[in-house]
Amino acid sequence: MIKTMRALLTNTYESEFVSTQMEKPTPKKGEVLVKIHASGVNPIDNKIRLGLSPYASPVLPAVLGTDLAGVIEAIGEGVTEFKVGDEVYGLAGGVLGLQGTLAEYTAVDADLLAIKPKNLSMKEAAGVPLVLLTAWEGLIDRARVKKGDKVLVHAGAGGVGHMVVQLAKNIGAEVYATVSEQKANFVKSFGATPIDKNTPVEDYVNQYTNGEGFDVIYDTLGGQSFDDSLKAIRHYGQIASCYAFGTHTLATSSLRSASIHGVFVLHPMIGNERRKHHGNILKQTTKLIEEGKLKPIIDPRKFTLDNAMEAHKAVSDGSAIGKIVVDIV
């Protein structure tokens, strides 16, 4: 039996990955050993590599990478939901003390995983967990979007944004998305009305809501986008943001009695709480994907452990068309 595995090690922030042979992990109680087939790359992965996310960064040296899709090779004590040979996916590591997914194997808390959709390849499945969970937590868990709501998604063509758009449409909401002009048709294909991102807030609030504001707004960008959300929300509306890390004056939304929800999708992994909830969301996601109601968009470029640094750069240089994924096998 193979006792070692190939992994990419990050020794210092901003440095190149170092390919190394490491001991293959053994699943502890509540864990499963996964042979990783693909590792999704997200902007947060690159921020962690650069040392720009101190609240999530592991102690270096460490293996980075958050999303995975793969096959279970061994089961730890107490795990009854999965069996050897199951194809799974999940948001599974790369933060604080958890090994990341830029490796051939990892031992993962089984609560974080779900059975992979049968109609997705490993590469496609690895592009789903972080963005889908971020979208779901903000839109469904917090804002509690419902049929008929007018929903505005900032950066609706982005990784999180295109999941928010699809989830909101599935629930029966009327969806609008701010995008660059060249990505208008992309959000249209998911059933959203595109709004040029340079359009003044007052103009699109008047055009699409008769000046009343949107029922639910999901901000995926932070900064000015979050400030715009405070002005575009209706009275008693719901704002969710996965990027509200700046300094903001909340008077505008407070005077509208709006609720603001911060989404930090890495919390279950870092704080070891509500992990099972992530697994349960992904179970429901598998059903939606297999029914053709949800579709991830994956960048067509081929990345492997040999050029994973290029994948990291691709999530931040604006070149990505959909999610960036590294093929491990």
Side-chain angles (χ1 to χ4, degrees):
M1 181 177 283
I2 301 169
K3 293 187 177 179
T4 62
M5 66 174 183
R6 185 185 178 194
L8 297 185
L9 209 57
T10 299
N11 289 313
T12 58
Y13 293 123
E14 299 184 55
S15 66
E16 295 289 314
F17 294 129
V18 177
S19 180
T20 186
Q21 287 293 315
M22 299 175 63
E23 186 178 348
K24 191 165 101 176
T26 301
K28 302 185 185 73
K29 184 177 181 179
E31 293 182 341
V32 294
L33 178 69
V34 178
K35 180 176 177 58
I36 302 171
H37 284 235
S39 169
V41 186
N42 303 281
I44 188 64
D45 294 292
N46 198 43
K47 284 185 168 63
I48 289 171
R49 182 183 65 82
L50 296 172
L52 301 177
S53 296
Y55 43 82
S57 297
V59 175
L60 300 183
V63 178
L64 303 186
T66 47
D67 284 332
L68 69 73
V71 179
I72 293 178
E73 278 212 356
I75 303 283
E77 181 190 341
V79 176
T80 57
E81 200 168 325
F82 299 104
K83 64 184 186 301
V84 171
D86 280 346
E87 297 186 342
V88 294
Y89 70 141
L91 174 61
V95 296
L96 296 187
L98 301 181
Q99 183 208 302
T101 59
L102 287 174
E104 291 176 327
Y105 294 89
T106 187
V108 183
D109 185 336
D111 283 349
L112 292 168
L113 301 175
I115 297 293
K116 176 186 82 65
K118 292 181 179 63
N119 56 335
L120 292 189
S121 67
M122 288 289 187
K123 183 172 184 174
E124 289 169 326
V128 172
L130 185 140
V131 291
L132 181 282
L133 291 166
T134 304
W136 190 295
E137 280 194 27
L139 188 72
I140 296 173
D141 288 352
R142 312 289 177 73
R144 300 190 180 279
V145 68
K146 60 188 183 300
K147 185 177 181 180
D149 279 348
K150 286 195 173 184
V151 176
L152 173 65
V153 186
H154 285 301
V160 175
H162 87 290
M163 288 296 184
V164 178
V165 167
Q166 291 179 79
L167 287 174
K169 287 297 293 183
N170 280 329
I171 288 166
E174 197 177 306
V175 186
Y176 302 83
T178 61
V179 287
S180 58
E181 189 179 347
Q182 61 268 35
K183 292 182 179 177
N185 286 333
F186 180 83
V187 295
K188 264 189 193 173
S189 72
F190 287 125
T193 299
I195 298 173
D196 188 292
K197 65 180 183 178
N198 297 313
T199 305
V201 178
E202 294 77 10
D203 288 3
Y204 64 71
V205 168
N206 285 332
Q207 183 177 353
Y208 296 114
T209 74
N210 295 317
E212 292 182 3
F214 295 88
D215 300 298
V216 174
I217 300 177
Y218 201 124
D219 159 49
T220 70
L221 296 172
Q224 187 60 50
S225 169
F226 184 75
D227 287 334
D228 289 347
S229 301
L230 305 181
K231 293 188 281 187
I233 197 70
R234 70 158 172 82
H235 294 175
Y236 301 100
Q238 307 283 328
I239 300 170
S241 178
C242 57
Y243 222 118
F245 298 146
T247 301
H248 302 276
T249 300
L250 304 182
T252 311
S253 60
S254 295
L255 291 171
R256 295 168 190 228
S257 299
S259 299
I260 298 171
H261 308 278
V263 178
F264 181 42
V265 76
L266 303 180
H267 204 139
M269 287 196 297
I270 291 169
N272 193 12
E273 54 185 325
R274 291 172 63 86
R275 287 184 175 183
K276 188 68 177 172
H277 183 53
H278 272 190
N280 287 337
I281 292 172
L282 289 174
K283 268 192 209 168
Q284 295 175 72
T285 300
T286 292
K287 188 168 182 287
L288 288 173
I289 291 172
E290 289 181 347
E291 291 172 352
K293 295 177 180 175
L294 196 66
K295 181 184 178 185
I297 303 299
I298 306 297
D299 189 279
R301 285 174 287 181
K302 174 82 171 176
F303 297 104
T304 67
L305 288 178
D306 292 327
N307 67 340
M309 186 58 70
E310 297 307 310
H312 263 242
K313 290 172 182 172
V315 298
S316 55
D317 67 8
S319 66
I321 308 295
K323 281 294 303 291
I324 299 287
V325 178
V326 175
D327 290 309
I328 307 297
V329 294

